[in-house]
Amino acid sequence: MTSITRRHALRAFAAGTAGATVVSGASLSTPPGALAATGGARQRAFAAAAAEFGVPEPVLLAVSYLKSRWDSHGGAPSTGAGFGPLHLTDLRAVAAGGSHHDHGAEDPRGDSARRVLAPHTSPALQTVDLAASLTGVDAETLRTDPVQNIRGGAAVLAHYQRELGVRADGPDGWYGAVARYSGAPDTGTATFFADEVYATIISGASRTTDDGQVVTLPATPVSPRREQVLTLGLTTIAEGAPEAPPGLPVEWIPAPYQDLGNGDHGNYDQADRPNSQRITHIVIHDTECTYDEAIGLVQDPTYVSWHYTLRSTDGHVAQHVLTKDVGWHAGNWYLNAKSIGIEHEGFAAQGTWFTEAMYRTSATLVRYLAETYQIPLDREHIVGHDNVPGPTPSNVAGMHWDPAPYWDWAHYFDLLGAPLNRRPLRQPTGMVMIKPDFASNTTGYTGCDTSAPAAACPARGSSALFLRTEPRDDAPLLPDPGLHPDGGPSTTGISDVGSRVSTGQRYAVAETRGEWTAIWFLGRQGWLRSSGVVPVLGQVVTPRPGLDSVPVYGRAYPEPEAYPADIPPQEIVPLQYTLPAGQKYAAGPALPGEYFWAATFDPAQHVVVRGTTQYVQIQFGHRVAFVKLDDVLLSRTRP
């Protein structure tokens, strides 16, 4: 069989190792055996396990990279119930609690013209048991000890290779075992995973892990025997998804468009985007339930919908709603009508981590969608569900807050091929981008354990930072009148975004003092250490001269005069915040005042109402918001 194309290998390498640390004295062309002597404990563990179980060291290193990027995560599980550098799975050890609504009480549709929607497993692989039987090491140790976890993963890989009945000293002949290690039940997903593993072998990788271990995979020429995947007895899924990037298998599991009677229908709205409306945003979610549960929910006509679901263990993708149609996922009808919703298997509050396999398939999908619909790859257009504003004041407190601070936005944008802060600036510009180091930013949250809400969450890497009322670490967090109407400060609770900023978001600078920077946030100054931000260029908005403040909105609806006589005008309701004179906020896209009326089952009666009012999206707090273009002045920051 032909080898993986060099273009694919270079793309995988550029995406997967951006920002990696190169080992001093060990280049990516260093022979594998030479690294054990020069590397650290993690490197030696890979070398020893490879030798003990007869697994080619590049194969073991690359499989681990595609599962965990060699991180140990302190023994905590991934969203796919996997542990350690080799992602040994143990569902029994992970309580699959939670529901799709644990991360907020919003109505996913977010359309106040209609009634509020009421809320409404198959077992994964248990590879830790197989690893325990092969190594004689107990499951607890395999989950928590990185060295034994690597041994267990090597033993499982070697076992899969033996079952294939293939003798191969080099990496070329291990393709089938690698594909099986993905955990995917279907040929397409297993092949995608194995291709990514071998692309990593070809290009090499080097980085420092979350616990400070330097690991290097030298670039190794290889021609994998891809035909081996056909001997695994995996299913062939009916992919058939009409909107999938080349090379990424996407299963078509349609959500039902069904008339429920009494003027009600579910579970999405048929439309004609981008002919009817531009698609301007992609919303990143986590499921708050297992993949299988999510698939069941999206097929329920009385429930809600989103466009794609991704499985954690292997990154498998399923599509449910055509991107021309409007899913009910973001809790804000204006953004639902202009976005694509992507759910990732995971639990926002459990402190789990997202697998590299899922990050990679997600990035491949989002890059394709962004190219298709000309959506800029930045944090103004690729947003988390936690960045979506409440459409009205009464909705603010109930908005969802996934995928939460454990989603690695910087790494995700590296994989998208659009690194954050691609062109670093040295001098101040009046605007900063939030950019802490994810691995070392172990910001302390509480509330991950619902049985002990005040207990600290696991100390793991985070993409978010807290804002303080003064430039000192013990100062209170900022108040948020939408989340804390009593006027009290925000909290460190994992669900409390009232005083939190996230990687890639941009804010206008209000003041600097020594090692501290103040930014404008929810109508006041918020302080954070300057080490967590970088200067960037962009546009800012400020109230027009003569205005003491301007209202801030959660949706960009047209003026009442724009509505036809048979469609009730949607009220333009300001949120409980204002943008005072003298303050500046980072400007995102300019957006038209639009309302997609789709309250009937017959799509021929659906109407896009357009007005003359124009809006500007701004980074107002942790969430975005909208201001009327006529209320503000736009200006560009300069060095």
Side-chain angles (χ1 to χ4, degrees):
M1 302 293 287
T2 59
S3 64
I4 306 293
T5 66
R6 179 158 181 79
R7 179 185 177 194
H8 182 78
L10 290 175
R11 177 187 65 76
F13 176 60
T17 63
T21 302
V22 177
V23 182
S24 175
S27 73
L28 293 183
S29 60
T30 304
L35 285 169
T38 60
R42 185 69 43 82
Q43 187 85 54
R44 293 193 296 273
F46 279 110
E52 179 181 0
F53 294 99
V55 181
E57 190 174 346
V59 169
L60 186 61
L61 282 163
V63 167
S64 177
Y65 193 90
L66 256 293
K67 285 294 189 179
S68 69
R69 298 176 76 213
W70 304 322
D71 289 336
S72 65
H73 295 282
S78 75
T79 58
F83 293 81
L86 263 295
H87 198 258
L88 295 174
T89 53
D90 190 354
L91 260 186
R92 289 193 306 271
V94 179
S99 72
H100 198 81
H101 287 270
D102 281 354
H103 53 335
E106 70 178 33
D107 171 8
R109 190 166 52 196
D111 181 9
S112 54
R114 293 185 260 184
R115 67 173 181 83
V116 175
L117 285 165
H120 193 296
T121 315
S122 62
L125 293 175
Q126 191 75 19
T127 57
V128 73
D129 292 344
L130 176 57
S133 67
L134 293 170
T135 62
V137 178
D138 64 273
E140 170 67 17
T141 302
L142 287 167
R143 290 194 303 265
T144 58
D145 185 326
V147 172
Q148 295 302 324
N149 183 273
I150 292 168
R151 287 187 68 243
V156 170
L157 266 171
H159 174 77
Y160 291 163
Q161 183 73 355
R162 286 193 299 274
E163 288 198 332
L164 281 175
V166 176
R167 289 185 58 84
D169 295 328
D172 299 35
W174 285 71
Y175 189 93
V178 169
R180 185 175 175 186
Y181 199 94
S182 71
D186 66 280
T187 299
T189 304
T191 297
F192 186 89
F193 176 88
D195 282 351
E196 290 288 321
V197 167
Y198 277 86
T200 305
I201 293 173
I202 291 169
S203 295
S206 183
R207 70 181 294 266
T208 301
T209 67
D210 59 353
D211 53 355
Q213 297 284 323
V214 176
V215 181
T216 295
L217 167 60
T220 305
V222 64
S223 297
R225 294 175 54 185
R226 299 178 79 245
E227 75 277 7
Q228 289 181 350
V229 75
L230 301 177
T231 68
L232 299 179
L234 303 178
T235 61
T236 301
I237 61 171
E239 294 176 11
E243 296 161 312
L248 179 66
V250 177
E251 187 175 7
W252 177 239
I253 305 177
Y257 188 70
Q258 185 173 322
D259 189 346
L260 302 176
N262 299 317
D264 195 11
H265 70 274
N267 62 3
Y268 63 93
D269 285 300
Q270 292 189 355
D272 187 30
R273 306 184 305 175
N275 297 320
S276 57
Q277 286 182 282
R278 281 191 60 206
I279 299 174
T280 56
H281 294 73
I282 296 174
V283 182
I284 303 299
H285 304 255
D286 75 37
T287 58
E288 292 303 303
C289 60
T290 67
Y291 173 85
D292 291 335
E293 288 170 328
I295 295 302
L297 291 171
V298 80
Q299 294 179 89
D300 181 349
T302 68
Y303 195 61
V304 298
S305 61
W306 47 93
H307 294 87
Y308 298 89
T309 305
L310 277 74
R311 190 164 57 209
S312 177
T313 301
D314 54 12
H316 176 67
V317 185
Q319 183 177 6
H320 316 295
V321 177
L322 297 176
T323 56
K324 76 176 184 65
D325 296 326
V326 176
W328 300 350
H329 60 93
N332 182 311
W333 187 243
Y334 179 80
L335 280 173
N336 271 347
K338 300 181 73 66
S339 70
I340 296 169
I342 303 178
E343 291 275 4
H344 300 77
E345 184 179 19
F347 299 86
Q350 288 190 1
T352 48
W353 47 280
F354 297 94
T355 64
E356 181 68 3
M358 186 163 65
Y359 274 127
R360 290 201 173 202
T361 53
S362 179
T364 301
L365 174 64
V366 168
R367 186 169 55 247
Y368 160 79
L369 295 171
E371 290 174 354
T372 300
Y373 294 109
Q374 298 183 319
I375 301 171
L377 291 173
D378 57 40
R379 288 287 274 117
E380 285 77 42
H381 297 84
I382 313 299
V383 300
H385 197 173
D386 54 341
N387 305 135
V388 174
T392 66
S394 62
N395 301 123
V396 169
M399 294 301 290
H400 286 197
W401 45 273
D402 57 301
Y406 300 131
W407 180 267
D408 190 345
W409 284 107
H411 179 54
Y412 191 58
F413 272 83
D414 287 345
L415 292 172
L416 286 170
L420 299 172
N421 196 36
R422 187 194 299 264
R423 298 178 180 85
L425 300 172
R426 294 183 179 180
Q427 61 271 52
T429 62
M431 179 185 288
V432 293
M433 175 185 288
I434 308 302
K435 201 164 185 303
D437 176 70
F438 182 87
S440 61
N441 180 40
T442 53
T443 305
Y445 303 100
T446 57
C448 291
D449 183 351
T450 56
S451 65
C457 293
R460 69 169 65 260
S462 166
S463 60
L465 296 168
F466 290 125
L467 296 176
R468 305 283 175 177
T469 54
E470 298 178 41
R472 51 187 178 85
D473 292 319
D474 60 348
L477 301 181
L478 300 183
D480 180 339
L483 298 181
H484 303 281
D486 59 358
S490 299
T491 71
T492 58
I494 190 75
S495 63
D496 190 343
V497 300
S499 189
R500 187 185 301 169
V501 291
S502 181
T503 295
Q505 293 177 330
R506 298 178 306 139
Y507 296 89
V509 175
E511 186 182 350
T512 57
R513 294 187 203 169
E515 297 179 351
W516 291 80
T517 297
I519 59 174
W520 293 117
F521 187 94
L522 294 180
R524 62 183 299 154
Q525 289 188 19
W527 291 90
L528 73 166
R529 287 195 171 273
S530 302
S531 57
V533 301
V534 292
V536 292
L537 297 172
Q539 284 191 313
V540 294
V541 302
T542 193
R544 288 187 178 274
L547 297 177
D548 293 332
S549 65
V550 299
V552 175
Y553 302 93
R555 53 192 185 184
Y557 279 173
E559 64 280 2
E561 297 77 20
Y563 289 78
D566 57 341
I567 297 179
Q570 295 299 294
E571 189 177 0
I572 304 176
V573 184
L575 299 178
Q576 53 269 71
Y577 314 99
T578 59
L579 196 167
Q583 296 188 11
K584 297 180 179 181
Y585 289 84
L591 297 166
E594 293 179 340
Y595 173 63
F596 177 47
W597 188 81
T600 67
F601 178 69
D602 182 4
Q605 299 183 39
H606 297 172
V607 176
V608 177
V609 180
R610 292 185 174 86
T612 59
T613 306
Q614 296 290 308
Y615 293 83
V616 180
Q617 178 182 307
I618 62 172
Q619 189 65 60
F620 190 60
H622 183 78
R623 303 183 189 273
V624 302
F626 307 100
V627 291
K628 293 181 180 179
L629 182 58
D630 288 344
D631 287 343
V632 297
L633 290 177
L634 278 165
S635 61
R636 185 164 292 278
T637 60
R638 299 181 184 278

